Amino acid sequence: MWMCYVRHSPIAAGILLLLLANQPPILARGSLGGHEDPWNSERIDRLPLDVRRAVTHMCGNAARAAHYFATYFDNSRLIKLHFEHLHCDEHAQFCRGTSCLRQEYISTGGHYQLMRSYYGRDD
């Protein structure tokens, strides 16, 4: 039985260590690359056209929303908007005390219509 022993030179090991230690700092902070602004206008842009128009009418073009501003149910047939998660530059107020505006839109015939508007607990 033949056995082969390979001896790595200390120089090769040193070069490998230098290459690994000389990585750019961005690799060390990789988790920061996925950071997303909590108030984002793209969440408004992704709403169906009918709903987006209604929100823009209420808030203006500078509307920005947090993650749970719009929630979708029944394969996106029903959309619920939680206005405590909406920020407008025009200082529109959608909350009073511990209650905030809620709206529910339903898709009928390819268009979304406001089905219900009410104030619910700010949570």
Side-chain angles (χ1 to χ4, degrees):
M1 174 176 221
W2 292 83
M3 296 191 79
C4 181
Y5 293 98
V6 178
R7 182 174 177 206
H8 297 296
S9 76
I11 295 173
I15 291 172
L16 180 63
L17 286 174
L18 283 173
L19 288 174
L20 291 174
N22 196 23
Q23 294 297 315
I26 192 73
L27 293 177
R29 289 178 260 157
S31 64
L32 294 178
H35 177 70
E36 186 178 320
D37 184 10
W39 296 99
N40 192 325
S41 63
E42 290 177 12
R43 293 187 185 99
I44 303 298
D45 296 338
R46 285 184 242 152
L47 291 170
L49 182 61
D50 301 317
V51 179
R52 184 172 61 238
R53 283 182 180 158
V55 171
T56 303
H57 179 75
M58 295 171 70
C59 192
N61 289 324
R64 295 177 293 154
H67 279 285
Y68 297 105
F69 170 63
T71 53
Y72 299 82
F73 299 91
D74 194 20
N75 293 322
S76 298
R77 188 172 168 265
L78 175 67
I79 300 174
K80 293 184 181 184
L81 301 181
H82 303 259
F83 283 82
E84 68 269 22
H85 299 295
L86 182 69
H87 179 75
C88 302
D89 286 342
E90 297 167 4
H91 305 294
Q93 295 293 320
F94 301 110
C95 296
R96 49 184 182 203
T98 59
S99 296
C100 293
L101 180 63
R102 301 281 166 65
Q103 289 185 336
E104 296 178 6
Y105 288 84
I106 190 154
S107 176
T108 55
H111 294 282
Y112 282 88
Q113 297 177 347
L114 180 62
M115 182 177 75
R116 183 175 157 197
S117 188
Y118 61 97
Y119 278 82
R121 201 179 87 205
D122 176 14
D123 53 6

